[in-house]
Amino acid sequence: MMAQGQGGLLMLEGFADPVDDSQRIFRQILQAVSRPGCVVTLDPLPPAPAGLNAASIALCLALLDHDTSLCLDGPTLTIARQHIAFHTGAPPAEMDEAAFTLIADGNVLPDLSRLPHGDAEYPERGATLILQVAGFDGPRRHVLRGPGVDGTTELSVRGLGDGFWTAFAANQHRFPLGFDTILVHDNAIVALPRSTFAVTHPVEA
């Protein structure tokens, strides 16, 4: 289904039921945040423009509005930018000022040190990073611990550059400042709040 956007452009439809679907997706996001490292499948999923998957668009529709700025990083995402702006009203921003940054390819990372970390008075102003990855079945194990994790849990990610884990390690030492992360693949997400610690194990021979 298509919707008529500004200037006569045809945009893909958003949620079938914007209120109920947004609330359902938001509850699923909270489930993922409360269980760092666990894969949570999102449902229902809206159609997605080229370059983004349906779970990424569902996150945007549930989390963004006129007051939440977005940096969308990736090549050939013009239609995706128009789609998100049409359905959410979220203003575009550079990464160092954006409340949310969505990176289309986890293997092609910008300088993540630019993400807002908040400050002592307003730690909640730290950014949320949404990263599209190739799967949750990579060869390298990341052992997670922290609030919401019962002891430890393991996460494997495919299609995520080592630069992320370097930035994540630096992020661990800023808490309660720092950025929160949501990894996205196809119709599923994994949350890594800033309170989560990770130890990366080498690839086993």
Side-chain angles (χ1 to χ4, degrees):
M1 296 292 292
M2 308 292 285
Q4 194 78 14
Q6 292 182 349
L9 294 175
L10 290 176
M11 295 286 109
L12 291 171
E13 293 282 1
F15 286 132
D17 187 325
V19 175
D20 287 347
D21 291 349
S22 292
Q23 291 176 345
R24 188 175 298 110
I25 291 293
F26 189 74
R27 288 194 295 270
Q28 293 165 354
I29 296 169
L30 291 180
Q31 178 186 0
V33 171
S34 69
R35 300 169 58 205
C38 294
V39 178
V40 174
T41 301
L42 300 187
D43 177 57
L45 293 173
L52 298 181
N53 57 46
S56 294
I57 289 299
L59 290 176
C60 289
L61 297 185
L63 296 174
L64 301 181
D65 58 28
H66 293 81
D67 297 320
T68 49
S69 54
L70 172 69
C71 173
L72 183 55
D73 183 90
T76 65
L77 292 177
T78 300
I79 298 299
R81 289 185 177 88
Q82 294 172 345
H83 177 78
I84 294 170
F86 173 71
H87 286 289
T88 70
E94 296 297 322
M95 184 185 298
D96 52 5
E97 296 181 348
F100 288 82
T101 288
L102 170 53
I103 297 176
D105 185 348
N107 278 317
V108 184
L109 298 173
D111 180 4
L112 298 181
S113 68
R114 294 175 53 203
L115 291 166
H117 300 136
D119 54 44
E121 190 173 359
Y122 299 104
E124 68 275 10
R125 291 181 178 174
T128 297
L129 174 64
I130 302 171
L131 265 172
Q132 294 194 155
V133 298
F136 298 121
D137 56 354
R140 188 172 296 176
R141 294 183 301 118
H142 308 279
V143 178
L144 309 179
R145 61 180 176 85
V149 179
D150 185 8
T152 63
T153 190
E154 292 189 2
L155 172 67
S156 296
V157 185
R158 180 164 45 90
L160 182 57
D162 288 341
F164 168 76
W165 295 108
T166 300
F168 190 78
N171 197 52
Q172 294 172 170
H173 300 291
R174 297 189 184 98
F175 185 80
L177 308 183
F179 60 87
D180 302 305
T181 302
I182 303 176
L183 304 177
V184 183
H185 170 64
D186 194 14
N187 65 341
I189 64 172
V190 170
L192 297 173
R194 69 189 71 179
S195 57
T196 304
F197 285 77
V199 176
T200 300
H201 288 246
V203 177
E204 297 180 356

